[in-house]
Every structure is written in structure tokens, then in C-alpha cells.
Amino acid sequence: MTNSIADIIESDVIMMIGSNADTGHPTIGLRLHQAIDNGTKLIVIDPRGTDFARRADHWVSVVPGSDVALLNGMMRVIIEEDIYDHKFVETRTENYEELQIVTEKYTPEYVEKITGVSEEQLRTVARLYASPGKKCAIFYGMGLAHHATGTDNVKCVANIAMLCGKMGVPGGGVNPLRGQNNVQGACDMGALFNTLPGYAGLSRDDVFDRYESMWGVTLPRRPGRPATEVWDAIHDGEISSLYIMGEDPVLADPNANHAVEALKKIDFLVVQDIFMTDTARMADVVLPAACFAEKDGTFTSTERRVQRVRRAVDPPGIAKPDWQIFCELSKKMGYEMNYESAADIFAEVASLTPQYKGISYSRIEKTGLQWPVPNKSHPGTVVMHIGKFTQGLGLFIPEDYTPPQEATDSEYPMLFTTGRHYAQYNFGSMTRKTAGITRIYPEALAEINPVDADRLLLSVGDWIRITSRRGEVKARITVTERSQVGTVFIPYHFAEVPVNQLTLNSLDRLSRSPEYKICSVRVEKL
Amino acid sequence: MSIKITIDGREITALADGTVLDAAKRAGIYIPTLCQVVGHKNSERPCELCVVEVEGLQKPVRSCSFPVKDGMRVVTKSEALTGYRKAKIETLAGTHFGDCKAPCNLTCPAQINVQGYIAHVAKGQYEEAMRLIMARNPFPFSVGRVCPRFCETRCRRILVDEPVSINHIKRFVADWCMAGKVDLKLGCAPRTGKRVAVIGGGPAGLTAAFYLARKGHDVTVFEAMPKLGGMLRYGLPNYKISPRVLDYETSTILRLGISVKFNQKWGADFSLQGLKDRGFDAIFIGTGAWVPKPLDVPGANLANVYAATDFLRSVAEGAALPTGRRAVVLGGNNIALETARTLLRCGVDQVTVVYGKTRTGMPANQRVIKEAENEGVQFLMVAAPVQIRQISAGLDLELIRMRLTEPDKRGVRHPEAIPGSSNHIEIDTVIHSMGQMAFGRQKIAAGGIEESLELSQKNCLKANVRNSATNIDGIFAAGDVVSGTRTVIQTVVAARRAADSIHSYIMGVPKKSESRFNFSRGRSFDDVDLRNFEGIKVKLREKMPTRPPEIAVQDFNQVKLGFTEEMALKEAGRCLSCGCSAFEQCELKSLAIDHKVNLNKTGMGKTLVYSRDTSHPVLSVDLNKCVYCQRCLNTCEYKALELTAAGFDDKGRAQGISLEFNDNCVSCGRCAEACSTGALAKTASMVPVISEPVKEVRTTCPYCGAGCQIILRVKNNTIMEVCADPAQAPNYGALCVKGRFGFDFVQHRDRLTVPLIRRGGQLVEATWEEALNHVAKRFFDLKAMYGPDTIAGFSCARATNEDNFIMQKFMRTALGTNNIDHCARL
């Protein structure tokens, strides 16, 4: 998030795209609802009829996967009606001309054809978001990012925010809601194939030199492989062993069967986890790890807030914190990593990562700090990009609409999409062990629109089989307006309904994020 | 803008638009309130406990709604205010209906948090249950086998079907910990440098040693025998407590770092003065009551006439006294009965217990009498020995018939002999169990201090009931040596209290006492409204697996085999959880204690008005405890609660209260945390915390990316619940259902606990050394053979920054590849 959770109440207009904070981020959802109660206008761009969609001043029920077209269409309206922020564009951005050229063809008629959104609604929401002088924030979730065009979507969001001068303003900004507790931190720490800690790209020889002298080792400067490409690489014989910490690709990866086949093929698999996951069952070595309540450390939240994690109880058996396992293993492999404590590691992180430079355990003893914190007296950054962007001028990177990878056809006539239920989390390995949560949401229900239910002669509680080109799952149904006509939704928390047998593993060309949110399926009554 | 006001003579700075209560809270000045919550609107029915006196005003005002004014002077404590508040609390308490503590807890001589450990068992937290038991009883193995179970006699489940088998659950917990060789990690306070000598290594001595060691003192136990356990080892037969179990039990106690000197007889090998000279700061005497009371009939000194304790000890030591084929046991106490059962196991064909009163008048536990009878012990009731004579075929025991007199003034019927009714039986052995004394005819012959120790008329040591002190400074005593023979649990309690007194003596600190304040739904069964149990289905208690008597009598192996885990879980599930799960948090109770409210005088709720509502997935509602403070309503940020009262009685108390959750409810549980009593509770938080220390660990929620700050409330090694601090960014007390309730995974049985290596197709347990060597070698080889870029690593968006940093560093340095990524996109 460029802005903060506490900032939400300041917004005049909030535009939510592909995010249902009520289920994904309930406490942030609560603040959004309170802002709306307080008079903040709400635009919801979402194919699903979420509670936010129902409360919205404008619910834009787009055709799934058409966000780029919609956002380009909005920008075209904003430019055409000349309600964009000239001063911001002139002084703080570059490449505006290209944005104008690319968005030109997204006329309301063209946009309506792709997205199903009427010209009237398109103009209304464009005007509302652009509202000169108003504080307008964008919130988006995985509904925007989990597409083969996820990066394009995100770029368009940045484009429209800059065009309207909504960056660097309290109550404004571009605010992705990160799905997991420490996605932000894992990226910050350089657990990425294409950057070192602190987002230093692999082309930065100066950074490499610094790391090499600090770590006393020659580092590889060749690019690495993203996780989502690893499966193909295994099938192609280019990767032969895997070390997996805390992941369960057998359940989590799109087109899961593809991943399972790959895991069967590799020479050596190490899984380090807190539970015996389906992936761990296939491992050659399983290492027991301490969970969040059994170790010290930090998480970095979606608002870039670095906060303490503290040991409250002992790990079970002889399980150990992940970092300790790596240190011991590294020593055995001839590279010594000696740390007394998590605080020691954090001190090294702060010394290497510019965003974390001014953070230490003592400073975040009570309340976490929001990066960037460039020095030890800096109070943290509540709103980013005030006055100027970190890297000079904001660059418009316009993108064209690309249709989803898999269109519906006569054989697979419906769209399939996945998401969360508010009481459950990910693949249920954590939440499904609490009886009260099971009482709230005991099984994965396929959500189907009443129109489709009538057409397929389905009623609540019926079992259906859902088949895609990659696999099939069975689930019971519930009938609800939350699902658009022609769309089936299933939450992904239940191993019994392994939705990723259906999903598509085509990847975004830049971030390599998979197209979780759309594939085409066939639904049959059982 | 801020202004200056004076509260209780202290000048403080206050926000100009705030209330007196806000200002006081900010300045850390305590004003009681049951209804107000910081940052939320006030109750429509204020509790009026926050009244204060403001200079210049005639009447006290409610500080929660009285605005501050520059220069104002406020008094928060005065006799008048305390009286006003006390009256308000008494009014509210008058209809508050519930149990603070469960009857089992109140009845247990050791005041063990019985409901608490049963609830831990129900949750599968056996280790924690064991720690909770051992907080007040270091002998769970023994007590779990021999306790007469005072608690079960008061179990409210009796009003539904049968009492919960509490003692069998306790034994299961102990046995489970032994089977798994669980290290309970019982911590000790920092060392005090004080030294305590404990004389006697039986239940009294070891209990005192255990609690003294836990308080950080250096304890040395002086034991006369070659092994620990005292009467548990030498006075109870092996089929009751096996030596193996007792060894484990005593070693658990010794693990705290207690030293033991064996074969040290008081009077022969050391004296009290000697101990004092060796620098012990205090001495505890827990030598028990080993001296048999003499059998006062002619012939009592013949061969083959023994005291029961001597006989049992000879059996325990593996050198049983000769018994012949026919034996009579004189006496009706537990030891007499166990002696009879032991005789059967020694191969005696005919064992008869002779007792002066009727069977129901026997002091022995009725369960034990029944067991002895089933095993083949015969009984000769209302008979007394006259004399014993040696005859050629063995012994001739002359008995006389007794009858019971008419009740005396106290209602007691005494046995008296019926003249001319004597009778002779021919036997080989007579064993008598007339009870035991601490000391025989002569005192401990060590001179000096021993000489001046005061004894009671019953030949026991005299000790002050309040602090276990003997008449000699620095010397304390408890257990059978003071009281004469009692149950193990009673000895444990006495010794634990003595340890507290010794601690307070040597440290010069006052002894802590627990308040006896308690709301009750009825002290006796007759007082308890049966409507309390409506809807509870009859579910009989689990049957203890027992070896058939005809088999059991053939050896000294244990007769009762113990509950299986399944049985223990089922039995724990029968607990009605009478005591309040909000025992620790209840503000009505703590305010009533602070204001010295006496419920016996001013009354408490007597009748059940509302039935308990457990229909909510994570919350339970018991409106009988509701004081209508409206905190639940006022703290709910979702407008999910509908709380109403049909009317108010003449004292302003709500009547016909209704609490419903509407569709807005997301089960976040914040309302339960705000509740001022136990009316609204988290269903899963079923373990009442009575006096056990609970630490609060601030950390970050492990679910979504919002970064909510949570507080883990941890008892020993168990997460009891998750709460949130309303003053803490970024969530300010808000959590979702996952954040507040979804933590059962942490201590779930399915957690991985040891490294596993695949061998012959199977994942088998390994040490860290083996597992990491294996991984290091395989990666080393694979890297050498195919190059580092054939290895890839997935890191985790749920792990900490430190874990992620180290993993990418490991991949880039030790393995030499940039093939590191995580699930951010998944």
C-alpha cells in the first residue's frame, strides 16, 4: 500500500477493484465500511456481488478479466473530459503522451463490448474517481493480480492514479491488499528470483559487490527461475532438486496435477513445514519447523509496517525456527552463517536493505514502523510518494487489453473463479483445526447464480461436477446472486475440493503470476 | 487543547473536551467502572461506580460523563464514595446467578483447579493438565490411585446421572505423561540462597520440598529408608501403587534439583541442632505416623501377632513375615483392608477381618471394602478380641460379640461387649491395625532441641494450624506427624501450606491468601435448581478397566488399569463446567472483593432466569450473569448485537434481558472480551484461570496481510486465548474470527515434531544431525553433478522476514543459485 489503514477514513472516494476485504482482510474491511458509513463514496469494480458491491454507490459488474479495458476506458473519459490533474502529470510524471495514444481507442462503445459496462456508468465512475481536489483511493486484491494479465492490470491502476493526481495524498494512493501475512516482507527480503534484498535488481553490479564483500562469497549473477516456472523446468529436465519451505504446491499451484507430476520426477525434494502437507508426503526429507508463536522475528504488513513476532510457547518436539535450520545446514555445506538470534539477522537486514535502514527491534518494541525508514530517527512513512516518487518521475506504462487465456466455448461454457471465505484461510491447514471456525463454514460450497441454477435444474445442496480442460472436482452448491450469471465460484480452503485441479497455469509475462481467477468449465449435476 | 485539573491532590493535564474518567485513565488514576470502555460510547444504563466528588458540588457525579474544567478539583476515594459504590455492587450482585468456582474445586482439600484440568483434558492438553494438577499436588500418580475423592461427592453431574470420574481422569493425565516421558519443564523461581532441611521423604516431606524448591530455595531431604515415598512405598501394597510408578513420581519431584540423603535416621544419624549448625535456614519435619498403636489384649506379644504396618513393610521390602494359611486382621481402617488383601496375595487361604462395629461403620473407604470382599476377604463384624493364646495348631483367638449402645448425647453409638458371648477361632496369624502414632513411648532420643519439642496428647507433634510452626523457632511440621494418619491429599495440602509458611518465614514476606469470595448456584444439592441441567443428556461415567478379582488376587500387579485416552476424553466431556470461565476476568467479582461485599449478608442471585445459549459458533451466552452494562453492545463495531431489556426492577436492574446476534455478526469475539462478567464468553476458552500465572505475549497475527496486533495469553506452554489491545495500532482491538479464534493449529497434534528421512520408500524419524547431513550431502552431490541452477528453492510468504532473508541467503551463498522465489503470486 502506498497509503495506510488508518488513512482509509480520510478518503472522499474509494475505488475497490477485485478485492473483497470482508473475506480477505476483515479488519481492513471494517475500516472501509466505517469510512462508507461516514460518507465516503464507493466504487466497486468486481464481477462478484460482494457485500461491498451491494453497498457501493456504483457497482461496476465487469466481465471477468476485462479490467485493463475498463481502466483504459475510464482514463480515456478522464482525458477527453479534461478532468485529469494537469499539474501532477506535468511535474511528477513522464510518458503521458503514450498513455493518451494507447487509451485513445478505448471508446465507451469499445469498452462496453469487452467489459459489459455501459457508457453512462463508465463516465460516472470515471468522473467520480477523477474528482479534482478530492482524496480518492484505490484498493485492489488478488482479483486484479491473479490473472495472466495481472501486471497489466496493476500498471493501469497506477496509471489512472497518477493521471488523476491521487498519489502522495493522505486518503488516496494505490493500495494492494496483500493476501498473506508476510508477502510484503518476503519480497522485501529478496526471496525473489529477480532481486536481491531491498529490490536491488540482478543487474546492479555495485549492489552485488557490496553483498559479496559483506558475505565473503561470490554470488551468482545469472537470473533465477520464478516458482511458477519451476514445474515446466522440471519436466524439461533443467531442475532436478527442490527445497520447499512452508509451501504446499500440490494443493496451491494452478493446474496442480502438473506440479504433482513434476514432484514425482525430481531427484531430491526437501520440505520444511509445520504440518505433513500433501507435498511433504512426497519429500525425501521433511524438516519440522517452528510456527509463528514459537519463534522471534518480524512480519511486514500490507501497509509496509514492520512488526514483531514473538516466541510465546515452545516448538513441538524438536522442531526449530526455519532460520536456524538453514544456518545449521549452511554450515554443513561449507558456508557458515552465525546468528545468535533473530534480532541479529534483522540487524543485518537493516544494514543491507535501504527501506529498513532505520528500523531495529528496540524501535518496534511496541508499535511497528512503516518503511521506508531511512534513518534511526525517521518516524516511518505513513503515505508514500508525497512531493516526489522514490525514483524520480512517475512513468506511465500504458497497456493494451489482452483477452483471458481461456474463453468459454460450447464444451466449457461457464467461467470458474476462486476466492476466500471470511472464516477460513488458504488451504485450511491452520483454520480448519479450530472447531468454532468449522461451525461457521464447514465445507466448500460452489456459488452459482439463480439463473444458472434454474437452467441446470440445480437447487441448494445438490452435488455438481465441475470439469475444466485440466481436471475435475465435485462440490455441493449454494445459489446466490454473489455469482454473476455464467460464473461458478468456489473458495479454495478445502483439500476435499481441490479447485486448483481446474485452474490454469498460464502466467503473467512479467510477474509470472498465474491466471487463478479465470478458466472455463463445464458444470454437471451429480 | 489541554487543561490542568487536580485529582486526589495530584495535578494532571487533561484534554479539554474529555471527561473526568478519561482524564483519570490517561493519568493512570484508577476509578472503578463496570460499563465504560475507552473509546466507546457510554452505557444507557450507567453502573454509577465511577462516581467522584467534585469540589463545589453537593452530590457526587459520574466521572464517565462529567466534563473536565480547567482548575477543577476531584476526589475519587472517600468513605462516602466507597459506601455508594459498595451499595451499587451489592444491588447488582443480588441478581447475579452463577458459580465462580466449581463445587469440585471448592471441595478438594488441596483446592485444585479441577474444572481447569478436566477442561485441558477435553482439549487434549494433557501436559498442561498435569502442570495444573501439580501446581497444588505433586503426587498425581499416587493420589490418582488412592484418593477417596472428596471432589466427586459434590460433583453437580450427580443431579443429572453420576459424578464425573475426576480421579480417574487425573490418573490418566499422570500416566499419559509417564508413558510419553514428558518433560513438564516445571520451572523454579530464581535461587534465593536459602537452605531448608526436610526430614522425611514421604508425601509430606516431598511435597514441602517440591514447593520450596519451586520458590527457589535449596532443599535437602533426609530419608531414613533406602528409598523415597514413605508410607506410599512401605505402607501401601504394590497393587495399589507400583514401585515403578512411585519411582517415576518421586523422580519428577527431585528433578527440580532437590538433594536427598538416604538412610539417615533422625536421632541416630542427625539431630535438629546438627541441622541448625549446618546452616539450614529452616527445618521441616514430615516424618509421618509410623508407630503402630498397640493391641491391648493378652497375647499381643506372641509370635505371629504383628502390627499391620510392620507386616506391609516386610512385604514391600521383599521379606514378608511368616503368615501360615489362616489369618485374622483386627481393625476396620483402610490399612486393615489392604493388609487383608495383601495376605490373600501372599497365599493365605483364609483371611478374616474382625471389626467392633458394623460394616458401614468401618472407617475404611466403602469402595475398598467392596474390593476386598470381591477378592475373597471374609468379615466378622461387631466382634472384638479378648485374648490370644498359643496352641499347638497355631493361635487361638478369643472373640466376644459386641452390640451398639443407644446413641449418646452426640448421637454416637458405642460398641459394648455382650457378656457370655465369647467364641474361639483357630488361626496361624493375627495382624492388627489399630491406627498409628507419630511417636512411641520414647521421643526422638537426640537430646537438645528434640527434648523441648512439644507433643500432643495423641503422641503427635504440635504445630500451629495457621503456619505449621512448632514451638521452636524455624522448625515446622505437617502431615501425619502432626495430624495422625490422614489421606495422601490431606497430607499434601498440609505440607504445601507449611512450605508457604516456611517461605514467608525465611524470606520475611507475608503469606498470600486467596479470597474465599464465591457466587454459587447452590451450596448443597438441595439448593440447586434442576432447571440448570435442562437439555443435558444422560451419559453414564466410563467404567475403569479392572482385572477380575479372582485373577488380580494372584499377584501384586495393579488391579485398576487406568483409563484409555478415549475414555478420558469421553469422561472429560461429561464435565458440566460449573465454574465460571471468566473467573479471572470478572470485574463484578473483583470489585465486590475490593469493596468487601459479603454475599452471605447482602445476597446473590438464587434462581435461574435464562437458559444458556450456545447456538453461536464461537460464543456462549449466560444471561443469568449479565449485569446489563451494555459493553458488548457498545464495543461491537459491526452493529451485530441486539441487546434489550423488557423492563427494570425497583432497584434499576434489568429484567427480561435478550441478547441476539444478527446477520452482521462476523464472529470476531470482541464483545466477549469486553464483557464485565462471564455472561458472554468465548466457547473455546473453557479452562478457568484461578490463580495460575498467565503471561501476555504481544505478536502479529499470522493470517492476512493486515498485520493486526494480537496478544497471546499463555499459561506455561499453552496458548489459552488470543486477545487484542484496543489502544494498539493498526487494528485497535479489532480482529477477525481467524485472528481471535484460529490458533488451535499451533499446538495441534498433527504438527511435525521430528525430522523425517525417506528410507525404503517410507518417511522414518531421524535426528537433526542425520537429516541435515543427508540433505547437505545430497545437495552437495547434485550441485557438483548438475550445477547449482538445477536446484530451486521456494520460500514462504507466511514465514518471518528473518526466515526469508536467511533462506535467500542460503540459496545464493551455500547453493549458489538465484532460483529462489516464494508464493507471493499464489
Side-chain angles (χ1 to χ4, degrees), chain A residues 180 222 281 295 422 439, chain B residues 617 738 758 789 803 818:
Chain A
Q180 312 207 32
R222 312 169 295 278
R281 277 179 233 287
K295 62 186 174 190
Y422 79 85
R439 250 171 258 141
Chain B
K738 300 185 285 281
R758 189 170 298 280
D789 284 346
D803 294 331
N818 282 315

Side-chain angles (χ1 to χ4, degrees), chain B residues 130-147:
Chain B
M130 182 72 161
R131 279 191 282 260
L132 186 50
I133 296 166
M134 290 188 74
R136 280 166 182 265
N137 170 16
F139 281 94
F141 292 91
S142 298
V143 172
R145 286 166 167 79
V146 302
C147 195

Side-chain angles (χ1 to χ4, degrees), chain B residues 356-370:
Chain B
K357 297 191 202 173
T358 57
R359 182 162 162 165
T360 47
M362 285 172 108
N365 191 308
Q366 292 298 316
R367 268 190 296 269
V368 177
I369 300 172
K370 186 87 196 143

Side-chain angles (χ1 to χ4, degrees), chain B residues 739-760:
Chain B
R740 204 173 255 117
F741 297 101
F743 59 91
D744 287 359
F745 77 92
V746 174
Q747 299 187 304
H748 197 273
R749 230 172 244 211
D750 291 354
R751 285 286 302 275
L752 290 170
T753 56
V754 285
L756 305 167
I757 302 179
R758 189 170 298 280
R759 290 201 168 113

Side-chain angles (χ1 to χ4, degrees), chain B residues 144 168 171 542-547 559-563 567:
Chain B
H168 294 342
R171 173 176 165 180
E542 293 295 307
K543 292 265 176 297
M544 170 59 98
T546 306
R547 295 165 71 210
V559 177
K560 296 184 178 170
L561 302 173
F563 274 178
M567 295 168 87

Side-chain angles (χ1 to χ4, degrees), chain A residues 180-181 190 192-193 222 225 227 240 246-247 281 284 295 302 307-308 314 318 339 361 422 439 511, chain B residues 617 637 700 703 705 707 717 738 753 758 768 789-790 798 802-803 809 812 818-821 823 825:
Chain A
Q180 312 207 32
N181 55 333
L192 290 171
F193 63 99
R222 312 169 295 278
R225 277 183 194 278
S240 59
E247 290 290 311
R281 277 179 233 287
D284 295 292
K295 62 186 174 190
T302 192
Q307 306 186 105
R308 279 300 313 275
D314 298 334
I318 53 172
Y339 300 95
Y361 274 20
Y422 79 85
R439 250 171 258 141
S511 75
Chain B
E637 295 192 89
T700 304
Y703 286 104
N717 199 38
K738 300 185 285 281
T753 56
R758 189 170 298 280
W768 276 111
D789 284 346
T790 61
R798 285 179 300 275
E802 290 75 1
D803 294 331
K809 185 172 173 181
R812 289 184 162 117
N818 282 315
N819 288 342
I820 170 70
D821 201 0
C823 58
R825 290 161 306 282

Side-chain angles (χ1 to χ4, degrees), chain A residues 108-324:
Chain A
E109 302 74 47
Y110 181 52
V111 171
E112 180 165 4
K113 223 160 72 189
I114 301 168
T115 65
V117 176
S118 70
E119 173 168 359
E120 190 196 343
Q121 191 176 37
L122 179 71
R123 284 190 187 277
T124 314
V125 297
R127 283 174 200 143
L128 181 58
Y129 176 72
S131 307
K134 298 274 187 191
K135 293 177 275 191
C136 307
I138 296 176
F139 284 83
Y140 70 84
M142 290 306 118
L144 189 76
H146 274 167
H147 290 285
T149 57
T151 317
D152 295 351
N153 292 346
V154 172
K155 280 183 204 155
C156 287
V157 166
N159 289 344
I160 195 169
M162 291 197 292
L163 180 67
C164 300
K166 307 301 185 192
M167 298 287 262
V169 199
V174 171
N175 302 295
L177 298 179
R178 313 303 303 254
Q180 312 207 32
N181 55 333
N182 202 31
V183 179
Q184 185 66 56
C187 296
D188 298 347
M189 292 305 108
L192 290 171
F193 63 99
N194 53 0
T195 79
L196 289 170
Y199 305 98
L202 299 186
S203 56
R204 293 277 302 276
D205 282 337
D206 56 324
V207 178
F208 267 108
D209 293 347
R210 206 169 130 237
Y211 274 81
E212 287 184 350
S213 76
M214 252 197 87
W215 290 352
V217 69
T218 309
L219 293 169
R221 302 194 184 195
R222 312 169 295 278
R225 277 183 194 278
T228 41
E229 268 182 32
V230 162
W231 311 121
D232 281 339
I234 292 171
H235 286 291
D236 296 345
E238 288 167 22
I239 289 207
S240 59
S241 52
L242 254 183
Y243 194 147
I244 304 180
M245 164 171 86
E247 290 290 311
D248 191 7
V250 169
L251 270 183
D253 273 48
N255 192 3
N257 291 329
H258 186 65
V260 172
E261 289 308 314
L263 286 174
K264 282 185 188 157
K265 208 172 161 220
I266 55 173
D267 291 338
F268 189 53
L269 172 64
V270 181
V271 173
Q272 186 166 307
D273 212 315
I274 64 171
F275 289 112
M276 182 56 85
T277 59
D278 286 355
T279 307
R281 277 179 233 287
M282 302 180 70
D284 295 292
V285 177
V286 179
L287 302 175
C291 81
F292 88 107
E294 297 150 0
K295 62 186 174 190
D296 287 313
T298 51
F299 290 152
T300 305
S301 76
T302 192
E303 57 169 358
R304 299 164 279 105
R305 196 185 287 276
V306 184
Q307 306 186 105
R308 279 300 313 275
V309 172
R310 289 184 178 87
R311 180 180 173 132
V313 290
D314 298 334
I318 53 172
K320 291 180 184 187
D322 293 289
W323 65 264
Q324 254 176 26

